[in-house]
């Protein structure tokens, strides 16, 4: 519970007050029984329950019917809608472990997923992810990550995996951190990536925000501009993600959601991953940031970019429009 206190009540999905796991299990059973499936009943119910409540429904369903709810859902549903519903049914830390495992063990490495999870989660969450990864897969997450990545990108991920970001603001380091970043990048022929990794990977978000201000005073540049000039590829991607998260985690997710939907085609994996994993954490803040940054609302963009039951469920997770 302590995990969520920081952004308490900033999610769109809340625990259902008159919750009864057996009743809900029956509603789902009826929705899938016989010919055809009542997708609407399934999505209306599951988006209106917290993840913890969904786990209780799953247990009740097995007790009442001797069947696994997720297996039944998977055999009745299909496509992106199925992926979304299965994601809703997965406990949060377990879901992140599965995402990381797939990112590493799939064909090629899905760097985007490694970056998103390791840059945006708190040290507490990263530690929970590491221990569940070990329990589930009998492998060490850090070893798997380092076996699958290289260079400075790998070093930055290893730093983030240590989950030992400092707390608070260290007044005496603000000036020297900004100076060190300036000297390591803009003032140097070539780039000392190690400095960026150490400072961006270890200081608290509140501290980094002060360093970025100081950096701008010192250099005349936003830190993002310098990172874009001085680094490239996956290292640039992870450093920019860390900077965005230091400035605003909901802002980082707003940018990622926009990126997943803008232009032709939709990155549904990213859309599902963020909409579900942030629905009980900070979706209200993500919506506000989205509206501030872009010429449209998150709700309108999802509406224009998706269709069918998939769209209906995503809009319920979004929870409303922002004029």
């Amino acid at each position: 519970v302590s995990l969520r206190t920081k952004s308490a009540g900033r999610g769109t999905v809340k625990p259902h007050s008159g919750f009864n796991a057996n009743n809900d299990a029956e509603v789902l059973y009826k929705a899938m029984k016989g010919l055809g499936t009542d997708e609407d009943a399934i999505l209306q119910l599951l988006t209106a329950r917290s993840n913890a409540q969904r786990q209780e429904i799953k247990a009740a369903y097995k007790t009442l019917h001797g069947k696994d709810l997720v297996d039944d859902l998977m055999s009745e549903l299909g496509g992106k809608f199925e992926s979304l519903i299965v994601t809703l049914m997965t406990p949060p830390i377990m879901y992140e472990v599965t995402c990381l495992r797939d990112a590493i063990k799939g064909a090629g490495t899905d760097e985007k997923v490694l970056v998103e999870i390791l840059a945006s989660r708190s040290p507490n969450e990263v530690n929970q992810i590491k221990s569940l990864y070990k329990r589930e897969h009998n492998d060490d997450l850090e070893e798997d990550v380092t076996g699958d990545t290289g260079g400075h990108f790998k070093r930055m991920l290893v730093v983030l995996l240590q989950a030992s970001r400092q707390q608070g603001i260290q007044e005496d380091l603000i000036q020297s951190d900004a100076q060190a970043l300036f000297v390591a990048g803009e003032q140097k022929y070539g780039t000392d990536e190690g400095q960026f990794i150490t400072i961006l990977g270890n200081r608290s978000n509140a501290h980094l925000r002060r360093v970025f201000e100081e950096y701008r005073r010192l250099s005349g540049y936003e830190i993002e501009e310098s990172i874009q000039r001085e680094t490239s590829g996956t290292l640039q991607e992870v450093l920019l993600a860390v900077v965005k998260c230091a400035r605003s985690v909901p802002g980082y997710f707003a940018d990622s959601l926009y990126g997943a939907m803008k232009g032709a085609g939709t990155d549904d994996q990213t859309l599902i991953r963020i909409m579900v994993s942030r629905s009980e954490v900070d979706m209200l803040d993500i919506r506000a940031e989205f509206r501030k940054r872009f010429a449209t609302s998150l709700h309108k963009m999802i509406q224009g970019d998706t269709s069918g039951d998939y769209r209906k469920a995503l809009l319920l997770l979004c929870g409303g429009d922002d004029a």
Side-chain angles (χ1 to χ4, degrees):
V1 182
S2 60
L3 259 191
R4 302 291 182 225
T5 48
K6 197 172 81 240
S7 47
R10 301 307 298 158
T12 45
V13 172
K14 306 265 197 286
H16 181 63
S17 58
F19 178 62
N20 181 315
N22 287 348
N23 290 357
D24 286 352
E26 287 308 278
V27 170
L28 293 172
Y29 185 72
K30 284 202 188 78
M32 293 186 278
K33 216 172 84 139
L35 284 174
T37 306
D38 186 350
E39 284 91 356
D40 196 61
I42 293 170
L43 72 88
Q44 295 288 349
L45 190 143
L46 292 178
T47 57
R49 303 293 181 271
S50 67
N51 192 285
Q53 289 176 336
R54 292 178 208 128
Q55 303 316 315
E56 290 185 53
I57 297 168
K58 187 174 146 85
Y61 190 91
K62 186 167 271 182
T63 302
L64 294 167
H65 299 290
K67 298 165 78 176
D68 184 87
L69 175 56
V70 177
D71 290 346
D72 280 2
L73 287 165
M74 285 170 77
S75 70
E76 295 290 327
L77 311 174
K80 297 178 281 205
F81 180 56
E82 178 191 323
S83 305
L84 176 62
I85 294 295
V86 170
T87 302
L88 281 170
M89 289 303 305
T90 312
I93 301 289
M94 177 67 84
Y95 177 62
E96 299 184 334
V97 165
T98 306
C99 287
L100 290 170
R101 183 72 172 184
D102 292 347
I104 295 163
K105 296 296 179 191
T109 307
D110 191 345
E111 284 93 357
K112 181 161 55 180
V113 173
L114 296 181
V115 167
E116 181 192 297
I117 293 177
L118 296 178
S120 67
R121 300 314 193 257
S122 69
N124 185 357
E125 285 169 297
V126 172
N127 283 323
Q128 289 185 320
I129 290 167
K130 286 196 302 195
S131 60
L132 186 60
Y133 189 95
K134 182 110 194 141
R135 246 203 344 267
E136 282 299 303
H137 301 292
N138 209 8
D139 281 327
D140 183 72
L141 178 57
E142 190 182 316
E143 278 172 29
D144 282 355
V145 166
T146 54
D148 224 40
T149 56
H152 294 293
F153 177 58
K154 171 173 90 176
R155 286 176 53 188
M156 185 62 177
L157 294 181
V158 170
V159 168
L160 295 174
L161 278 163
Q162 301 318 299
S164 46
R165 222 178 244 293
Q166 298 145 359
Q167 302 280 295
I169 297 174
Q170 295 155 282
E171 294 288 347
D172 51 329
L173 287 180
I174 291 168
Q175 178 75 46
S176 58
D177 280 351
Q179 186 69 46
L181 290 172
F182 188 43
V183 170
E186 296 288 356
Q187 282 201 318
K188 191 174 163 44
Y189 181 74
T191 308
D192 176 3
E193 293 91 350
Q195 276 292 4
F196 282 84
I197 290 169
T198 300
I199 293 171
L200 295 177
N202 285 292
R203 304 288 191 260
S204 75
N205 286 347
H207 180 89
L208 287 173
R209 288 194 292 272
R210 296 280 302 277
V211 171
F212 301 157
E213 271 173 48
E214 186 56 41
Y215 184 86
R216 191 178 55 225
R217 264 204 297 279
L218 204 68
S219 68
Y221 300 120
E222 293 293 355
I223 188 73
E224 290 90 337
E225 297 174 72
S226 295
I227 290 171
Q228 271 159 341
R229 257 199 301 277
E230 298 293 328
T231 64
S232 62
T234 48
L235 174 66
Q236 182 183 97
E237 224 176 292
V238 70
L239 292 178
L240 287 175
V242 166
V243 168
K244 281 183 186 182
C245 287
R247 290 197 190 274
S248 161
V249 170
Y252 167 70
F253 285 118
D255 282 354
S256 299
L257 285 167
Y258 185 78
M261 291 185 281
K262 76 171 202 292
T266 305
D267 177 355
D268 291 293
Q269 254 184 319
T270 297
L271 187 52
I272 291 170
R273 194 172 57 245
I274 298 175
M275 292 304 294
V276 174
S277 65
R278 309 313 288 186
S279 60
E280 292 183 55
V281 186
D282 52 6
M283 186 55 68
L284 294 172
D285 299 323
I286 292 170
R287 269 171 46 190
E289 282 294 330
F290 197 99
R291 194 66 198 84
K292 258 198 327 229
R293 290 164 190 235
F294 308 110
T296 185
S297 67
L298 179 57
H299 194 277
K300 286 188 187 69
M301 199 156 184
I302 291 171
Q303 210 158 15
D305 228 57
T306 58
S307 63
D309 295 315
Y310 176 56
R311 167 165 68 187
K312 230 186 261 186
L314 285 170
L315 291 175
L316 286 167
L317 293 175
C318 179
D321 201 354
D322 306 279

mmCIF file of all heavy atoms in Angstrom, residues 174-197:
data_model
loop_
_atom_site.group_PDB
_atom_site.id
_atom_site.type_symbol
_atom_site.label_atom_id
_atom_site.label_comp_id
_atom_site.label_asym_id
_atom_site.label_seq_id
_atom_site.Cartn_x
_atom_site.Cartn_y
_atom_site.Cartn_z
ATOM 1 N N ILE A 174 24.472 20.997 -6.224
ATOM 2 C CA ILE A 174 23.713 21.481 -7.382
ATOM 3 C C ILE A 174 24.639 22.155 -8.397
ATOM 4 O O ILE A 174 24.663 21.804 -9.579
ATOM 5 C CB ILE A 174 22.594 22.445 -6.939
ATOM 6 C CG1 ILE A 174 21.517 21.657 -6.171
ATOM 7 C CG2 ILE A 174 21.961 23.135 -8.146
ATOM 8 C CD1 ILE A 174 20.514 22.532 -5.453
ATOM 9 N N GLN A 175 25.413 23.100 -7.920
ATOM 10 C CA GLN A 175 26.336 23.858 -8.775
ATOM 11 C C GLN A 175 27.356 22.930 -9.438
ATOM 12 O O GLN A 175 27.552 22.966 -10.653
ATOM 13 C CB GLN A 175 27.047 24.903 -7.884
ATOM 14 C CG GLN A 175 28.068 25.750 -8.594
ATOM 15 C CD GLN A 175 27.404 26.805 -9.467
ATOM 16 O OE1 GLN A 175 26.473 27.476 -9.038
ATOM 17 N NE2 GLN A 175 27.875 26.925 -10.704
ATOM 18 N N SER A 176 27.985 22.070 -8.655
ATOM 19 C CA SER A 176 29.050 21.227 -9.209
ATOM 20 C C SER A 176 28.505 20.147 -10.148
ATOM 21 O O SER A 176 29.168 19.783 -11.122
ATOM 22 C CB SER A 176 29.898 20.598 -8.092
ATOM 23 O OG SER A 176 29.088 19.837 -7.231
ATOM 24 N N ASP A 177 27.293 19.673 -9.881
ATOM 25 C CA ASP A 177 26.676 18.705 -10.804
ATOM 26 C C ASP A 177 26.415 19.355 -12.161
ATOM 27 O O ASP A 177 26.705 18.778 -13.216
ATOM 28 C CB ASP A 177 25.342 18.182 -10.240
ATOM 29 C CG ASP A 177 25.535 17.093 -9.188
ATOM 30 O OD1 ASP A 177 26.675 16.619 -9.019
ATOM 31 O OD2 ASP A 177 24.530 16.716 -8.541
ATOM 32 N N ALA A 178 25.856 20.568 -12.137
ATOM 33 C CA ALA A 178 25.562 21.280 -13.382
ATOM 34 C C ALA A 178 26.859 21.546 -14.151
ATOM 35 O O ALA A 178 26.935 21.332 -15.365
ATOM 36 C CB ALA A 178 24.833 22.586 -13.083
ATOM 37 N N GLN A 179 27.859 21.967 -13.421
ATOM 38 C CA GLN A 179 29.174 22.247 -14.011
ATOM 39 C C GLN A 179 29.765 20.975 -14.627
ATOM 40 O O GLN A 179 30.269 20.979 -15.751
ATOM 41 C CB GLN A 179 30.103 22.793 -12.919
ATOM 42 C CG GLN A 179 31.457 23.254 -13.404
ATOM 43 C CD GLN A 179 31.370 24.516 -14.250
ATOM 44 O OE1 GLN A 179 30.680 25.469 -13.877
ATOM 45 N NE2 GLN A 179 32.026 24.514 -15.403
ATOM 46 N N ALA A 180 29.681 19.871 -13.896
ATOM 47 C CA ALA A 180 30.238 18.602 -14.375
ATOM 48 C C ALA A 180 29.552 18.149 -15.667
ATOM 49 O O ALA A 180 30.209 17.655 -16.592
ATOM 50 C CB ALA A 180 30.091 17.523 -13.301
ATOM 51 N N LEU A 181 28.230 18.343 -15.742
ATOM 52 C CA LEU A 181 27.501 17.963 -16.964
ATOM 53 C C LEU A 181 27.910 18.861 -18.136
ATOM 54 O O LEU A 181 28.062 18.398 -19.264
ATOM 55 C CB LEU A 181 25.983 18.057 -16.736
ATOM 56 C CG LEU A 181 25.378 17.001 -15.799
ATOM 57 C CD1 LEU A 181 23.914 17.331 -15.499
ATOM 58 C CD2 LEU A 181 25.491 15.596 -16.391
ATOM 59 N N PHE A 182 28.106 20.137 -17.842
ATOM 60 C CA PHE A 182 28.506 21.095 -18.884
ATOM 61 C C PHE A 182 29.890 20.736 -19.431
ATOM 62 O O PHE A 182 30.106 20.658 -20.641
ATOM 63 C CB PHE A 182 28.494 22.511 -18.283
ATOM 64 C CG PHE A 182 28.709 23.610 -19.292
ATOM 65 C CD1 PHE A 182 28.065 23.570 -20.524
ATOM 66 C CD2 PHE A 182 29.535 24.686 -18.993
ATOM 67 C CE1 PHE A 182 28.262 24.612 -21.460
ATOM 68 C CE2 PHE A 182 29.730 25.714 -19.910
ATOM 69 C CZ PHE A 182 29.089 25.674 -21.147
ATOM 70 N N VAL A 183 30.802 20.471 -18.524
ATOM 71 C CA VAL A 183 32.173 20.122 -18.912
ATOM 72 C C VAL A 183 32.203 18.779 -19.658
ATOM 73 O O VAL A 183 32.955 18.591 -20.613
ATOM 74 C CB VAL A 183 33.092 20.070 -17.656
ATOM 75 C CG1 VAL A 183 34.445 19.469 -17.986
ATOM 76 C CG2 VAL A 183 33.247 21.470 -17.069
ATOM 77 N N ALA A 184 31.341 17.845 -19.242
ATOM 78 C CA ALA A 184 31.338 16.497 -19.832
ATOM 79 C C ALA A 184 30.750 16.474 -21.239
ATOM 80 O O ALA A 184 31.002 15.546 -22.006
ATOM 81 C CB ALA A 184 30.544 15.541 -18.946
ATOM 82 N N GLY A 185 29.961 17.531 -21.570
ATOM 83 C CA GLY A 185 29.283 17.524 -22.864
ATOM 84 C C GLY A 185 29.659 18.690 -23.735
ATOM 85 O O GLY A 185 30.593 18.617 -24.531
ATOM 86 N N GLU A 186 28.952 19.786 -23.554
ATOM 87 C CA GLU A 186 29.087 20.941 -24.437
ATOM 88 C C GLU A 186 30.517 21.489 -24.509
ATOM 89 O O GLU A 186 30.941 21.981 -25.542
ATOM 90 C CB GLU A 186 28.140 22.061 -23.971
ATOM 91 C CG GLU A 186 26.657 21.709 -24.048
ATOM 92 C CD GLU A 186 26.118 21.661 -25.475
ATOM 93 O OE1 GLU A 186 26.852 21.973 -26.423
ATOM 94 O OE2 GLU A 186 24.932 21.296 -25.623
ATOM 95 N N GLN A 187 31.260 21.403 -23.382
ATOM 96 C CA GLN A 187 32.571 22.055 -23.347
ATOM 97 C C GLN A 187 33.696 21.145 -23.798
ATOM 98 O O GLN A 187 34.852 21.517 -23.770
ATOM 99 C CB GLN A 187 32.858 22.538 -21.926
ATOM 100 C CG GLN A 187 32.121 23.814 -21.583
ATOM 101 C CD GLN A 187 32.787 24.538 -20.430
ATOM 102 O OE1 GLN A 187 33.202 23.929 -19.453
ATOM 103 N NE2 GLN A 187 32.898 25.847 -20.542
ATOM 104 N N LYS A 188 33.337 19.931 -24.208
ATOM 105 C CA LYS A 188 34.361 18.927 -24.455
ATOM 106 C C LYS A 188 34.299 18.503 -25.913
ATOM 107 O O LYS A 188 33.232 18.459 -26.522
ATOM 108 C CB LYS A 188 34.061 17.735 -23.541
ATOM 109 C CG LYS A 188 35.124 16.682 -23.423
ATOM 110 C CD LYS A 188 34.663 15.689 -22.353
ATOM 111 C CE LYS A 188 35.383 14.384 -22.376
ATOM 112 N NZ LYS A 188 36.789 14.364 -22.529
ATOM 113 N N TYR A 189 35.459 18.173 -26.468
ATOM 114 C CA TYR A 189 35.448 17.558 -27.791
ATOM 115 C C TYR A 189 35.150 16.089 -27.541
ATOM 116 O O TYR A 189 35.878 15.408 -26.827
ATOM 117 C CB TYR A 189 36.811 17.744 -28.469
ATOM 118 C CG TYR A 189 36.850 17.152 -29.855
ATOM 119 C CD1 TYR A 189 36.184 17.789 -30.909
ATOM 120 C CD2 TYR A 189 37.508 15.959 -30.113
ATOM 121 C CE1 TYR A 189 36.179 17.250 -32.176
ATOM 122 C CE2 TYR A 189 37.507 15.412 -31.392
ATOM 123 C CZ TYR A 189 36.848 16.058 -32.411
ATOM 124 O OH TYR A 189 36.837 15.522 -33.667
ATOM 125 N N GLY A 190 34.005 15.606 -28.081
ATOM 126 C CA GLY A 190 33.570 14.274 -27.648
ATOM 127 C C GLY A 190 32.724 14.456 -26.393
ATOM 128 O O GLY A 190 32.453 15.574 -25.971
ATOM 129 N N THR A 191 32.337 13.364 -25.784
ATOM 130 C CA THR A 191 31.438 13.435 -24.624
ATOM 131 C C THR A 191 31.911 12.469 -23.554
ATOM 132 O O THR A 191 32.310 11.354 -23.865
ATOM 133 C CB THR A 191 29.995 13.038 -25.032
ATOM 134 O OG1 THR A 191 29.607 13.802 -26.157
ATOM 135 C CG2 THR A 191 29.015 13.263 -23.892
ATOM 136 N N ASP A 192 31.885 12.919 -22.301
ATOM 137 C CA ASP A 192 32.170 12.011 -21.188
ATOM 138 C C ASP A 192 30.831 11.450 -20.701
ATOM 139 O O ASP A 192 30.206 11.979 -19.790
ATOM 140 C CB ASP A 192 32.898 12.778 -20.079
ATOM 141 C CG ASP A 192 33.134 11.922 -18.838
ATOM 142 O OD1 ASP A 192 32.784 10.714 -18.876
ATOM 143 O OD2 ASP A 192 33.650 12.450 -17.850
ATOM 144 N N GLU A 193 30.392 10.361 -21.347
ATOM 145 C CA GLU A 193 29.080 9.799 -21.035
ATOM 146 C C GLU A 193 28.980 9.360 -19.581
ATOM 147 O O GLU A 193 27.906 9.410 -18.993
ATOM 148 C CB GLU A 193 28.769 8.593 -21.935
ATOM 149 C CG GLU A 193 28.572 8.921 -23.394
ATOM 150 C CD GLU A 193 29.858 8.849 -24.213
ATOM 151 O OE1 GLU A 193 30.934 8.733 -23.599
ATOM 152 O OE2 GLU A 193 29.770 8.907 -25.447
ATOM 153 N N GLY A 194 30.073 8.921 -19.017
ATOM 154 C CA GLY A 194 30.095 8.444 -17.630
ATOM 155 C C GLY A 194 29.543 9.457 -16.639
ATOM 156 O O GLY A 194 28.832 9.091 -15.694
ATOM 157 N N GLN A 195 29.850 10.748 -16.854
ATOM 158 C CA GLN A 195 29.346 11.798 -15.962
ATOM 159 C C GLN A 195 27.825 11.893 -16.025
ATOM 160 O O GLN A 195 27.157 12.030 -15.010
ATOM 161 C CB GLN A 195 29.925 13.169 -16.359
ATOM 162 C CG GLN A 195 31.294 13.464 -15.791
ATOM 163 C CD GLN A 195 31.281 13.661 -14.277
ATOM 164 O OE1 GLN A 195 30.257 13.511 -13.601
ATOM 165 N NE2 GLN A 195 32.436 13.972 -13.738
ATOM 166 N N PHE A 196 27.298 11.847 -17.246
ATOM 167 C CA PHE A 196 25.847 11.898 -17.416
ATOM 168 C C PHE A 196 25.191 10.721 -16.701
ATOM 169 O O PHE A 196 24.176 10.867 -16.019
ATOM 170 C CB PHE A 196 25.478 11.888 -18.907
ATOM 171 C CG PHE A 196 25.653 13.219 -19.576
ATOM 172 C CD1 PHE A 196 26.894 13.617 -20.066
ATOM 173 C CD2 PHE A 196 24.577 14.085 -19.706
ATOM 174 C CE1 PHE A 196 27.057 14.854 -20.672
ATOM 175 C CE2 PHE A 196 24.731 15.325 -20.318
ATOM 176 C CZ PHE A 196 25.971 15.717 -20.798
ATOM 177 N N ILE A 197 25.788 9.541 -16.868
ATOM 178 C CA ILE A 197 25.234 8.326 -16.269
ATOM 179 C C ILE A 197 25.228 8.433 -14.742
ATOM 180 O O ILE A 197 24.215 8.173 -14.088
ATOM 181 C CB ILE A 197 26.038 7.086 -16.735
ATOM 182 C CG1 ILE A 197 25.755 6.824 -18.221
ATOM 183 C CG2 ILE A 197 25.717 5.861 -15.880
ATOM 184 C CD1 ILE A 197 26.681 5.810 -18.877
#
